[in-house]
């Protein structure tokens, strides 16, 4: 049987101790949905830990179709909600393994452009300005690149709020990313 997509874990190893309160570097309010990246091995399971480190107790083994509801980040770990031993609790999972993203934010686009649409810099774009390329469609998303002023056009595959989803070559890899489409009332 295929595991259901919910907060229940595939198996729930027992906890030997209750972890100390974890201080989050970032709090996600509202919580964010994360999904497995394309690099996540089919059928693999994720160890959810009692604290944000590789040596803490495993509280649950999460299946590859687990719906990650992320409430924050502590160092290199995401805080997620799981059910362990019949009780809802917080657990910690690494979103990357050996530099490869395993978990990524689920993106809900307001519009999908199929085929992709060509976008160009507006006449009001400041001379010499660069553009931040973000990993997600939010101000607080990690900046993964900077486009020079000379980068005057790109293909957009969708729109999420004030951000366009684009596909760019970053370090030789085709990467879905986001650039600001609108700044206040400017387009």
């Amino acid at each position: 049987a295929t595991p259901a997509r919910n907060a229940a874990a595939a198996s729930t190893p027992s906890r030997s101790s209750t972890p100390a309160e974890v201080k989050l570097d970032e709090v996600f309010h509202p919580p964010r949905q994360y999904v497995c990246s394309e690099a996540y091995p089919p059928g693999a399971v994720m160890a959810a830990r009692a604290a944000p480190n590789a040596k803490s107790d495993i509280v649950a083994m999460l299946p590859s179709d687990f719906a990650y509801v992320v409430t924050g980040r502590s160092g290199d770990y995401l805080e997620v909600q799981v059910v362990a031993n019949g009780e809802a609790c917080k657990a910690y999972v690494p979103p990357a393994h050996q530099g490869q993203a395993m978990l990524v934010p689920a993106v809900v686009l307001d519009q999908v452009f199929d085929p992709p649409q060509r976008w160009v810099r507006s006449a009001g774009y400041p001379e010499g300005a660069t553009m931040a390329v973000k990993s997600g469609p939010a101000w607080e998303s990690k900046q993964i690149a900077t486009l020079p002023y000379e980068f005057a056009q790109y293909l957009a595959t969708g729109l999420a709020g004030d951000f366009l989803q684009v596909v760019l070559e970053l370090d030789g890899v085709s990467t879905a990313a986001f650039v600001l489409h609108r700044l206040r009332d400017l387009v």
Side-chain angles (χ1 to χ4, degrees), residues 109-111 113 132-141 156 158-166 177-182:
L109 297 174
D110 300 325
Q111 279 184 276
F113 305 141
V133 178
K134 301 280 197 161
S135 61
W139 288 97
E140 66 273 8
S141 295
L159 179 67
D162 291 336
F163 291 82
L164 289 171
Q165 182 183 51
V166 296
F178 294 85
V179 295
L180 193 59
H181 161 61
R182 179 184 323 269

Side-chain angles (χ1 to χ4, degrees), residues 50-141:
N53 68 67
K55 294 184 179 185
S56 70
D57 293 342
I58 295 174
V59 297
M61 297 300 289
L62 307 177
S64 59
D65 67 346
F66 183 77
Y68 290 88
V69 177
V70 179
T71 53
R73 181 186 61 78
S74 179
D76 293 333
Y77 284 78
L78 298 174
E79 181 181 78
V80 298
Q81 304 303 303
V82 300
V83 174
N85 299 322
E87 293 184 31
C89 68
K90 296 175 185 174
Y92 301 87
V93 296
H97 179 67
Q98 297 179 345
Q100 178 67 51
M102 292 289 124
L103 301 176
V104 294
V107 175
V108 178
L109 297 174
D110 300 325
Q111 279 184 276
V112 174
F113 305 141
D114 187 20
Q117 295 181 0
R118 184 174 76 94
W119 289 74
V120 297
R121 184 174 62 223
S122 73
Y125 194 81
E127 182 73 31
T130 59
M131 183 175 293
V133 178
K134 301 280 197 161
S135 61
W139 288 97
E140 66 273 8
S141 295

